[in-house]
Amino acid sequence: MNFKHALSIAVVSAVAGAFAGGAYVAHRAPAVSATNSAKPPAAETDANAHRVNGAQPHSPYPDYLSLGGDAPVSFESLRQRASRDPAFLQGLLQRFRNETDPAARGELQSLLNAVSGEEVLRFALSLSTSTRAQDERDGLALLSAYSMDRAEVRQTVLAKLGQGGDPQRRADLVAMLTPTTLPSEDAAPVVAQLAALARDPDPALRAQAVLQLAQWDDSEQTEDLLHRAILDPSAPVRASAIAGVQGSRLRSDRLKEALLDIAADPASSAADRGAATFALQDFRLNRAEYGIWRRAQAQADADSGEGG
């Protein structure tokens, strides 16, 4: 198994959005430490500081935070300060642990995710082992900023999945298993867990597991699970399977036949037909199959025009 290429699928973007989005409102809160107030120096509170220091136009993070200040504070200036000032960072971590205001927690989580680093990682791992549900959620949210090539992060997520429990919680955990370059021995436990979950009775969990599995593994087992999922009665599972085929290197005659059947079947949903037609572009088609694809493509274009 060659894991030198970490594959990506466009629909796998919920993790980044989970901590990057959200509304942020001004509020007051205690100082982050005895010597470091949440309100930074005046130069950092200047409304133009972010632009002067060079804003990142496509950053997933907000431009400004409140963090208890009288005026919005540049997100980038806070990130830089936390990155270079250990005492300030420790104050932010402690404040995040104790903060009860949801807006403030959202701001602090975004900031800590952007800072990342070893201190934040140790803090996140500690929170994730808590028996308090909120602490565990916070720890996992912070861990989502780290790559799965970190063994401690990967093992934490797999251990949580092994505990079972609520299907939505497990689906969220599966979404954290973003593919990365790993030795096959280290990737094997991830593949095994995802393969098991791809057979789970819960359709939402099956859908997430199938999508991730297609990015982690291109073995015969995964080809079989993708074929089953393409024929699944659940629409989200079918959509994930088709996206999984498209985003993987798996190409087989039976996958092609299943996609052709969907593309040519007027009883299939427009979404399934369109996705199958798009995925078929990566398969070798004979003349008859190409004719089916052309008709399906024309129908997909027509469906798209009607939708617009």
Side-chain angles (χ1 to χ4, degrees):
M1 183 58 216
N2 179 6
F3 285 95
K4 289 191 179 287
H5 301 288
L7 305 175
S8 63
I9 297 178
V11 295
V12 188
S13 59
V15 174
F19 64 81
Y24 299 98
V25 296
H27 60 281
R28 292 187 176 274
V32 297
S33 71
T35 58
N36 290 282
S37 153
K39 183 178 178 181
E44 292 181 343
T45 60
D46 183 77
N48 294 318
H50 187 61
R51 288 188 288 275
V52 170
N53 292 333
Q56 299 299 318
H58 301 297
S59 170
Y61 301 107
D63 286 344
Y64 298 96
L65 302 182
S66 295
L67 293 180
D70 293 329
V73 183
S74 161
F75 183 96
E76 181 60 17
S77 68
L78 286 173
R79 186 196 66 78
Q80 291 182 14
R81 183 178 177 187
S83 296
R84 68 175 181 262
D85 184 342
F88 183 68
L89 176 58
Q90 286 300 319
L92 290 176
L93 294 175
Q94 188 59 41
R95 179 169 171 188
F96 180 73
R97 183 189 289 274
N98 298 328
E99 185 61 67
T100 58
D101 185 291
R105 293 186 67 81
E107 291 184 327
L108 287 164
Q109 182 186 317
S110 291
L111 182 57
L112 293 172
N113 276 130
V115 172
S116 192
E118 296 302 313
E119 283 297 317
V120 177
L121 176 58
R122 285 193 290 272
F123 177 75
L125 289 169
S126 174
L127 280 181
S128 71
T129 62
S130 173
T131 55
R132 256 186 96 234
Q134 183 61 57
D135 284 348
E136 183 195 41
R137 285 193 295 271
D138 290 340
L140 291 172
L142 292 174
L143 287 180
S144 68
Y146 292 86
S147 169
M148 285 297 126
D149 64 5
R150 298 294 300 252
E152 59 268 64
V153 177
R154 189 171 66 252
Q155 290 163 6
T156 295
V157 175
L158 290 177
K160 298 287 184 184
L161 281 169
Q163 294 170 3
D166 177 63
Q168 184 56 57
R169 174 179 176 273
R170 288 188 290 159
D172 293 340
L173 287 166
V174 169
M176 292 178 64
L177 293 173
T178 306
T180 189
T181 303
L182 284 178
S184 57
E185 296 89 345
D186 294 335
V190 179
V191 172
Q193 181 69 268
L194 290 174
L197 294 173
R199 301 180 178 91
D200 194 89
D202 184 79
L205 184 53
R206 279 203 312 280
Q208 190 63 259
V210 163
L211 185 60
Q212 295 288 52
L213 179 61
Q215 300 177 85
W216 277 98
D217 185 51
D218 59 3
S219 69
E220 183 177 341
Q221 169 190 238
T222 296
E223 188 273 346
D224 182 63
L225 287 169
L226 277 175
H227 182 257
R228 290 170 182 264
I230 288 174
L231 307 176
D232 198 281
S234 167
V237 176
R238 293 196 303 272
S240 289
I242 295 171
V245 172
Q246 181 189 336
S248 74
R249 293 172 291 187
L250 286 163
R251 301 291 179 268
S252 68
D253 285 343
R254 67 173 182 168
L255 287 176
K256 178 173 66 174
E257 290 168 6
L259 291 171
L260 284 167
D261 286 345
I262 292 173
D265 185 359
S268 297
S269 70
D272 283 354
R273 289 199 310 271
T277 301
F278 191 75
L280 282 165
Q281 294 177 103
D282 295 327
F283 284 80
R284 289 183 177 274
L285 304 175
N286 61 33
R287 196 179 300 278
E289 292 165 345
Y290 179 75
I292 295 172
W293 178 83
R294 288 283 294 181
R295 290 189 292 274
Q297 182 64 58
Q299 183 60 54
D301 290 341
D303 291 339
S304 177
E306 292 173 7

